[in-house]
Amino acid sequence: MSFENLPLLFLLLVPFILFATLVLTNKEGIERVFSKKVLDRIKVEGNGLSSRVRNLIFFMAILFMIIAIGHPYILKGEKDIELNGLETIIALDISGSMRSKDRYPNRLEFAKVKTKELLNNLVDDEVMVLTFSQDVYLVSPMTKDKNILEQVVDGINSDYLQGGTNFTLLANIAKEKLKDKMQKILIVVSDGGDSEDLDNFEDIIKKEGIKLYAILIGTKEGATILDNKGKAILQNDKIAISKINKKLGEIAINSGGDYIVAEYGKDDINKLSKKIDKNIKYSNNKKVIKVKDKIELFYYPLILATILLIFAFSSIPTKKDIFDEVAKREVNNE
């Protein structure tokens, strides 16, 4: 038998043993004054257990609970588990240009719809969600719970939109998060950002062997960039226009991935999902992890502790028991 939390078990056992020994071996104050013979005549405890026995049962219950906290188990060996799903990062652009309204109702809300459509297609995959602009934010760690991921995506609103896009920082974060993964998949949902920053981005993902899939949000005609109050932003005394940047899509293809320009309906996302699946099927590398094959034992001491506690509490005499004992002694004395 082994313990999962052996250090914690010892940490709890040492003070427990000292405290239990002190309480159980220490005489009560009244026992120091009267002899045992006199004490038996004046002491009234009812029909329940003596306080010493009751304390012993309480301590035994606590001991079993501490053993349960130690998480005992019997190790049968190890077994291999094959992971069929991917571990994927989805990065959602939250730069200021995502307020533009060439997609209804704006690029951000349209991007959120497309992201949720994609999540529904990644059935067996673990997904991490990031948002990025000038900085990169972890919105959700790796999880298969698509309901939680959809709620997280729904919670992203226009209040988060700020500044431009830092694709170099995004590439470095993806590099760190995917460094131990068998398949390095990054899905970027963005209008494409600025071409100047994309060169470093391409160099990093190419060096790290990251496959990029891009969902491009926006149109080639573009739309006005709006501030957080909905007013047009001016650059050099001209209204700033943001257009879709297909260079991000070209980087995706060069990395071994693919891209789509997001349209209304689900055909575009289904197309991209099939492309991802097709690329993965050509890989013979499957992630296999070794896990301990063990028999859990913690619930046995937990059950014993519960039974002992019930027994100890039920043995505590009530006022009626004490009054009955006193009355009985008075009758015997007469």
Side-chain angles (χ1 to χ4, degrees):
M1 184 175 70
S2 303
F3 290 89
E4 191 81 31
N5 303 318
L6 192 58
L8 179 60
L9 179 66
F10 283 121
L11 185 65
L12 294 174
L13 274 178
V14 172
F16 166 77
I17 292 172
L18 293 175
F19 181 69
T21 303
L22 181 65
V23 172
L24 293 175
T25 58
N26 188 39
K27 290 185 177 182
E28 296 178 4
I30 193 171
E31 291 178 337
R32 297 191 185 98
V33 178
F34 298 99
S35 66
K36 186 177 184 304
K37 184 177 180 181
V38 174
L39 193 62
D40 289 339
R41 297 186 64 183
I42 64 175
K43 196 170 184 179
V44 178
E45 289 188 346
N47 295 322
L49 298 174
S50 67
S51 60
R52 191 179 299 277
V53 173
R54 194 179 304 113
N55 286 341
L56 178 61
I57 295 174
F58 275 125
F59 282 122
M60 287 178 63
I62 295 172
L63 176 62
F64 282 124
M65 283 190 283
I66 291 175
I67 292 173
I69 291 172
H71 202 160
Y73 65 91
I74 297 174
L75 183 63
K76 295 171 64 179
E78 290 186 338
K79 58 183 179 181
D80 294 337
I81 294 181
E82 186 178 285
L83 300 180
N84 295 317
L86 296 172
E87 292 174 302
T88 306
I89 292 178
I90 297 179
L92 177 60
D93 188 345
I94 57 168
S95 62
S97 61
M98 295 297 282
R99 289 194 184 93
S100 298
K101 296 185 177 182
D102 49 357
R103 290 299 182 189
Y104 180 81
N106 58 43
R107 288 182 185 175
L108 175 65
E109 295 301 321
F110 187 66
K112 287 164 57 177
V113 171
K114 291 299 168 182
T115 302
K116 289 188 289 183
E117 288 176 4
L118 180 64
L119 287 172
N120 289 329
N121 289 348
L122 302 175
V123 179
D124 295 322
D125 301 338
E126 287 190 84
V127 179
M128 174 186 294
V129 177
L130 305 175
T131 57
F132 72 102
S133 54
Q134 294 171 331
D135 296 302
V136 177
Y137 305 94
L138 175 63
V139 178
S140 172
M142 287 287 182
T143 180
K144 285 187 176 182
D145 193 329
K146 300 304 184 291
N147 289 329
I148 289 179
L149 290 170
E150 287 188 14
Q151 291 175 18
V152 164
V153 172
D154 277 331
I156 301 169
N157 57 53
S158 58
D159 294 336
Y160 294 88
L161 301 183
Q162 56 180 331
T165 49
N166 189 340
F167 276 94
T168 301
L169 179 59
L170 175 62
N172 285 319
I173 296 296
K175 167 186 169 181
E176 179 66 25
K177 299 295 183 183
L178 296 171
K179 64 181 179 180
D180 297 324
K181 308 304 180 186
M182 295 289 292
Q183 301 276 353
K184 299 181 179 182
I185 306 295
L186 173 62
I187 302 172
V188 175
V189 187
S190 171
D191 54 20
D194 297 324
S195 296
E196 294 80 7
D197 190 38
L198 289 175
D199 292 331
N200 288 334
F201 176 74
E202 182 175 15
D203 291 340
I204 295 170
I205 66 170
K206 182 179 180 180
K207 181 180 178 181
E208 297 301 319
I210 297 173
K211 281 188 178 180
L212 174 66
Y213 294 88
I215 301 175
L216 299 180
I217 307 295
T219 60
K220 62 181 181 180
E221 293 81 12
T224 304
I225 301 177
L226 306 174
D227 62 17
N228 56 6
K229 295 181 180 179
K231 295 181 179 180
I233 292 177
L234 299 179
Q235 289 182 346
N236 299 323
D237 296 326
K238 294 181 180 179
I239 295 177
I241 302 294
S242 171
K243 298 180 181 180
I244 194 171
N245 187 356
K246 287 191 176 182
K247 183 175 180 179
L248 183 63
E250 295 170 4
I251 294 172
I253 292 175
N254 293 336
S255 73
D258 205 345
Y259 80 98
I260 58 169
V261 176
E263 301 289 347
Y264 299 106
K266 297 183 179 181
D267 290 344
D268 51 353
I269 294 296
N270 291 336
K271 177 184 175 182
L272 185 66
S273 299
K274 289 177 181 178
K275 183 65 176 181
I276 295 173
D277 291 339
K278 183 180 178 181
N279 284 349
I280 299 305
K281 286 177 182 177
Y282 285 116
S283 172
N284 294 320
N285 295 324
K286 292 185 178 180
K287 186 176 181 181
V288 177
I289 60 173
K290 290 186 178 294
V291 297
K292 292 179 180 179
D293 187 11
K294 55 189 178 182
I295 301 173
E296 299 287 356
L297 302 175
F298 69 92
Y299 41 83
Y300 292 114
L302 201 58
I303 291 172
L304 284 173
T306 303
I307 293 172
L308 288 173
L309 284 174
I310 293 173
F311 180 71
F313 279 116
S314 64
S315 68
I316 297 175
T318 63
K319 289 183 179 180
K320 183 178 182 302
D321 293 332
I322 296 175
F323 288 147
D324 290 344
E325 179 66 19
V326 172
K328 183 178 178 181
R329 289 192 180 187
E330 290 179 350
V331 171
N332 290 337
N333 292 335
E334 292 175 356

